[in-house]
Amino acid sequence: MNKFWSSRLSGIEAYVPGEQPIDRRYIKLNTNENPYPPSPAVQAELESLQLAKGEELRLYPDPNSGNLTAVLAQRYQVKPSQVFLGNGSDEVLFFSFMAFMDAQKPAVFPDITYSFYPVYAEYLGIPTICPPLHEDFSIPVTELCRNRGVVVLANPNAPTSLALPLETVERIVRSNPDFTVIVDEAYIDFGGESAVPLVDKYDNLLVIQTFSKSRSLAGLRVGYAIGNEDLITALRTVRDCINSYTIDRVAQRVAAVAVQDEEYFQQTRHKIIATRERCADKLSGMGFAVLPSAANFLFVSHPTARAADLLAGLRQEGILVRYWNKPRIFNHLRITVGTDEEMDALLDALRRLLS
Ligand SMILES: *Cc1c(COP(=O)(O)O)cnc(C)c1O
């Protein structure tokens, strides 16, 4: 804190993103990126852009990302007025906190979930209600059905990898008629059931997805919300109070091309699911407790080896995974599902560390 800083920053604990190393090449299993490159159509689109010569960089982008919005609306069978785009789903989430929460509309999310939620709430002065996950890390559903604030539900949850069935998500939406229910589906394409088909039925449901994980475009920074038109209008209003041009021209074009390559999307997500299942079996065989994952990562613990030691040992072997020194999860590791070769290297390294 310094005399020039606003009081908003006093005592705030900002989010700590996963490491993006620059010192050497690691096998990166720490930030849930997709191990496969984006669709080949993305490369072709980038090559066709006359970036510096043409209009592409000279002009501002379309603030509403019209074409990309239409492509997403078509893909998810909703109207373009039900789609909002942001600079990564993190931005869409932050705008949602600003649009739907305040001192009288608290945020309700479990104690163990995506760690950006408490940061947004603290920064914006929004009160929080954080019911603990059950002992087995399952979602305390009844606590999220009490119509006492804006529920933020990561489904599948992070970092636990567990998904709720759609009927349970619907029960949560139905039980909170006076508040928005935000379902963060960053990992939905790896095994969960999306709530998007419910957006016409509930005016309080906002579903948020991202291009970062299942579409291999974390570096592009594009995320989106799908929901009732009035919720989308609120998000556009927040955006236009801050920065109307959140998605650059290149990102709008590249993201649209990626959505249109459905075949590549299906292929890569199924490869990741197959690798995940194979790897989960192997880890169980080595004595790890592995939660049943519906995401592109595994949340594991070992009965005798300490997670912090495994983290350090893996790093020495050139493999990065994610660890939180926090209550209840300090003996767990979150391991992103990489390629089969990367996962074989991980399994070999773990075998060495355990022996
Ligand atoms: C990765 C992640 C996001 C953010 O993704 P963006 O790259 O900002 O689109 C949001 N929610 C959860 C739960 C995530 O794991």
Side-chain angles (χ1 to χ4, degrees), residues 10-29:
S10 132
I12 192 133
E13 236 186 279
Y15 178 76
V16 183
E19 184 184 0
Q20 295 298 111
I22 43 171
D23 57 326
R24 59 168 280 194
R25 265 195 92 76
Y26 287 95
I27 293 181
K28 251 191 113 274
L29 306 176

Side-chain angles (χ1 to χ4, degrees), residues 32 87-91 93 114 117 154 158 184 186-187 210-213 218 221-223:
N32 296 344
N87 188 248
S89 60
D90 285 337
E91 184 182 76
L93 282 162
Y114 188 37
Y117 307 156
D184 178 354
Y187 301 105
T210 176
F211 283 77
S212 298
K213 277 86 185 216
R221 311 306 304 130
V222 183

